[in-house]
Amino acid sequence: MTTASLLAADLLLAVLAAAGWLGGGAAAAARRRPLALALATVALLATLARATTVLALARVGWWFAAEKVVVAAPLSLAAVAVAGPRLLRAAGDIRSVALPLLFAGYALSAALLVTVLHGYPVSASVGLLAVAGVVAATALSWRLLDARPSRAAVAVAVAALLAGTGLAVTPGPAPAAPHEHGYPKARISDEPTRRFTLTAGTATVRVGGHDVAAWAFDGQVPGPELTATVGDVVQVTLRNRDIGRGVTLHWHGYDVPNSQDGVPGVTQSAVLPGQEFVYRFRADQAGTYWYHTHSVSDVGVRMGLYGVLVVRPGPTSGLDVTVPVHTLGGRPLPDARMEQVEAGVPVRLRLINTDSTTHRYALAGTDFRVAAIDGYELGGPTPLRDTAVLIPAGGRYDLVFSAPATPVALYVDGRRVYSTGAQSTATDGWPVLDPLTYGRPAPTPWSRFDRTFTLVLDRGLDLRGLLPRYAHTVNGAADPDIPPQVVRSGDVVRFTIVNRSQTVHPWHLHGHHVLVLSRDRRPATGSPLWLDSFDVRPGEVWEVAFRADNPGMWANHCHNLGHADAGMMLHLVYS
Ligand SMILES: [Cu+2]
């Protein structure tokens, strides 16, 4: 079982146990003995079964197994200890076990709420509020069952409530405000050798034979493909015609100077209708990249404000095809395309995922190699056949092959998007490439780290704004309340990224590529893997490192852009 399915099973058992105790208590109160006994048995079995799931989670290295033991186990044991013996001894009135069963139900519900709603890390105030809730609910039930709650129970509930609330409203240290420093201005003065102008505006575009309302660069989705050769000085003038919520250009994966990074509120102001902004940077890194707006990025990118950026090392021969995959108005892009290719022609397919979730790509009909990931060439890539690749949100894979005499086809999630002739293959059952074990290894350039940071990705209630929201959190906080990570120029920095939630988080640090050290404590054994976008799946622990060599203030966020908008965004700041 994967960690994600173990987590789901554990959650299901927890819900079953809580519901069983609560239902059993209600049935006992109504003097329905058989139902009460049946539900209590279900609850007991589910509670015991959780020992198995928690143990299994611990064995696969889930970081928070101990927390389950600390929070859920005592409450589960208390529930069994209070309700179990009473149940066995309840020869007379079944109603006498109603309260213990209800108490067990409240205790497990509280543990569940703390786990799901509050997330990591659990604070003393949340613990006290949970205890207050359990005691208060038990006292109220006691009262409704025609008995009288002891004054001690009421006193405990009130005391816990007051203490918990007191701790909750005590302000913690305020995170440094990221926007007080003004915007960086330094821009290279070299004369541009490649000039482009992109105009953002609302548009109607054709997708799969349907008209779709979009936001587009130059009226097309994706926007124009920008190309350059290593050594070029690229200048792009961005104009906004009528996108009311503003537009910027972020060069995804291209480690430009901070002032050109295109993050509104951090490196520049959003470009409003009628305004323009000129970006200029040196193309000193070859590879496959893309650009997109970073202003209300969740909506803006989804509506179509993105395009491809390809930087080539020099004149190339053969066929060079870019395949930017996107979902526009619920319809997949690009449309299927077929072209004749002579046998023996070298082909490079540049696969780009511009959506917010992972896509599965499968190249059928030929051996191929993964030449590059996220713009960086891999060392010693070996031939692959009938193997799929998973590309995270924002990620890019370059596949290369020599065109065979027979047709080749590329499938994305089972849909054919590119082919060199009539070709039909079922690719669903293919194994998936693990990039951490692919290619020729090389020694890690660093053995010690000047800074280490841990990022726990999670969900939780964020109560700091005007309205409470169920946010995507990092270390228990949501943007803008996540403290920035502060580094010095030249530092070698290590991140440990842990996913405590039930969803995939594609992580993306601006301005730097990170070297993957390990995943789930297993060191990367393939070619050095320099990534700017990588999927941290539920339960996974990634260790990555980079040298802090690009000063400024950089966004560091989940590239499921809906998650980023819902809090999963922090900043890397040079002191
Ligand atoms: Cu995410």
Side-chain angles (χ1 to χ4, degrees):
M1 267 177 120
T2 64
T3 307
S5 47
L6 277 173
L7 282 168
D10 187 62
L11 188 65
L12 186 74
L13 285 171
V15 171
L16 208 60
W21 292 123
L22 287 175
R31 294 207 170 83
R32 305 202 32 199
R33 175 183 281 273
L35 184 62
L37 290 176
L39 287 172
T41 308
V42 168
L44 191 62
L45 291 176
T47 306
L48 294 177
R50 282 195 79 196
T52 321
T53 50
V54 171
L55 206 64
L57 281 168
R59 287 184 57 136
V60 298
W62 193 59
W63 255 46
F64 309 96
E67 171 199 308
K68 290 242 181 216
V69 174
V70 171
V71 177
L75 289 168
S76 301
L77 285 178
V80 173
V82 171
R86 298 279 193 107
L87 211 53
L88 291 176
R89 279 191 276 113
D93 190 355
I94 185 74
R95 207 153 186 259
S96 67
V97 296
L99 199 63
L101 294 185
L102 286 173
F103 164 75
Y106 298 142
L108 286 195
S109 304
L112 203 56
L113 283 179
V114 168
T115 303
V116 175
L117 280 186
H118 184 267
Y120 174 89
V122 175
S123 59
S125 98
V126 167
L128 284 169
L129 287 173
V131 168
V134 171
V135 177
T138 308
L140 190 66
S141 308
W142 205 329
R143 176 106 207 150
L144 291 174
L145 287 166
D146 293 333
R148 189 182 294 188
S150 72
R151 286 173 189 228
V154 176
V156 168
V158 170
L161 185 68
L162 289 177
T165 311
L167 281 176
V169 298
T170 309
H179 318 320
E180 280 169 3
H181 63 134
Y183 296 128
K185 289 193 178 65
R187 200 184 65 174
I188 55 168
S189 53
D190 307 52
E191 203 43 35
T193 55
R194 295 284 285 164
R195 292 168 195 267
F196 304 94
T197 299
L198 296 175
T199 304
T202 54
T204 302
V205 298
R206 295 288 284 177
V207 185
H210 294 81
D211 281 339
V212 176
W215 295 356
F217 288 117
D218 293 4
Q220 62 179 82
V221 177
E225 183 169 322
L226 309 186
T227 58
T229 306
V230 169
D232 272 335
V233 173
V234 178
Q235 175 168 305
V236 183
T237 303
L238 167 68
R239 298 204 170 108
N240 181 356
R241 200 182 63 221
D242 62 351
I243 304 295
R245 301 179 74 177
V247 182
T248 63
L249 288 175
H250 168 60
W251 312 97
H252 187 111
Y254 220 69
D255 299 329
V256 298
N258 195 228
S259 60
Q260 309 301 300
D261 195 44
V263 179
V266 178
T267 66
Q268 66 170 99
S269 303
V271 178
L272 297 174
Q275 297 182 337
E276 71 169 40
F277 190 96
V278 179
Y279 298 87
R280 193 187 296 170
F281 56 89
R282 202 185 311 277
D284 45 14
Q285 166 70 37
T288 308
Y289 304 90
W290 62 298
Y291 61 86
H292 63 81
T293 183
H294 224 288
S295 183
V296 287
S297 58
D298 179 30
V299 184
V301 176
R302 191 153 25 90
M303 290 292 282
L305 289 174
Y306 71 95
V308 173
L309 168 67
V310 175
V311 179
R312 296 193 172 83
T316 52
S317 60
L319 190 64
D320 194 325
V321 183
T322 54
V323 188
V325 167
H326 195 75
T327 309
L328 188 67
R331 299 177 189 282
L333 278 171
D335 287 335
R337 166 176 152 203
M338 190 190 287
E339 66 183 336
Q340 302 287 329
V341 182
E342 260 180 59
V345 170
V347 182
R348 190 174 191 105
L349 292 181
R350 300 175 185 269
L351 314 182
I352 308 168
N353 181 359
T354 70
D355 271 328
S356 269
T357 52
T358 316
H359 285 300
R360 183 180 193 275
Y361 300 69
L363 181 62
T366 181
D367 286 358
F368 66 94
R369 296 165 203 261
V370 179
I373 299 179
D374 284 1
Y376 279 57
E377 297 283 314
L378 299 185
T382 48
L384 299 166
R385 194 175 182 97
D386 295 355
T387 303
V389 297
L390 291 179
I391 305 187
R396 289 90 57 213
Y397 274 50
D398 289 13
L399 310 188
V400 298
F401 58 93
S402 174
T406 48
V408 165
L410 174 72
Y411 296 85
V412 178
D413 303 326
R415 185 179 76 92
R416 189 169 60 219
V417 296
Y418 178 83
S419 59
T420 62
Q423 220 281 2
S424 174
T425 307
T427 60
D428 294 3
W430 287 7
V432 171
L433 175 72
D434 180 1
L436 270 69
T437 61
Y438 181 68
R440 188 180 53 238
T444 306
W446 318 296
S447 56
R448 53 169 208 91
F449 303 95
D450 303 300
R451 317 253 164 180
T452 57
F453 297 100
T454 300
L455 294 87
V456 174
L457 316 180
D458 202 357
R459 284 215 87 166
L461 269 187
D462 175 22
L463 302 170
R464 294 185 217 213
L466 277 177
L467 290 174
R469 60 172 179 165
Y470 196 37
H472 289 274
T473 58
V474 180
N475 298 339
D479 183 46
D481 298 317
I482 307 172
Q485 299 160 325
V486 181
V487 298
R488 267 183 329 207
S489 209
D491 278 351
V492 178
V493 184
R494 184 175 65 189
F495 282 171
T496 302
I497 308 179
V498 190
N499 187 346
R500 187 187 179 276
S501 77
Q502 313 265 350
T503 44
V504 178
H505 294 297
W507 205 255
H508 176 57
L509 169 64
H510 287 214
H512 309 73
H513 275 67
V514 299
L515 176 67
V516 178
L517 304 176
S518 73
R519 184 188 56 216
D520 292 341
R521 296 187 183 81
R522 278 191 302 277
T525 56
S527 161
L529 208 49
W530 292 92
L531 304 181
D532 55 62
S533 310
F534 51 96
D535 272 345
V536 184
R537 297 186 186 85
E540 281 186 349
V541 182
W542 285 66
E543 270 193 318
V544 302
F546 61 96
R547 183 178 288 284
D549 55 4
N550 198 3
M553 172 170 288
W554 301 98
N556 187 18
H557 66 99
C558 177
H559 216 278
N560 184 321
L561 297 172
H563 296 180
D565 274 12
M568 202 169 259
M569 153 97 74
L570 69 160
H571 297 89
L572 177 81
V573 184
Y574 284 62
S575 62

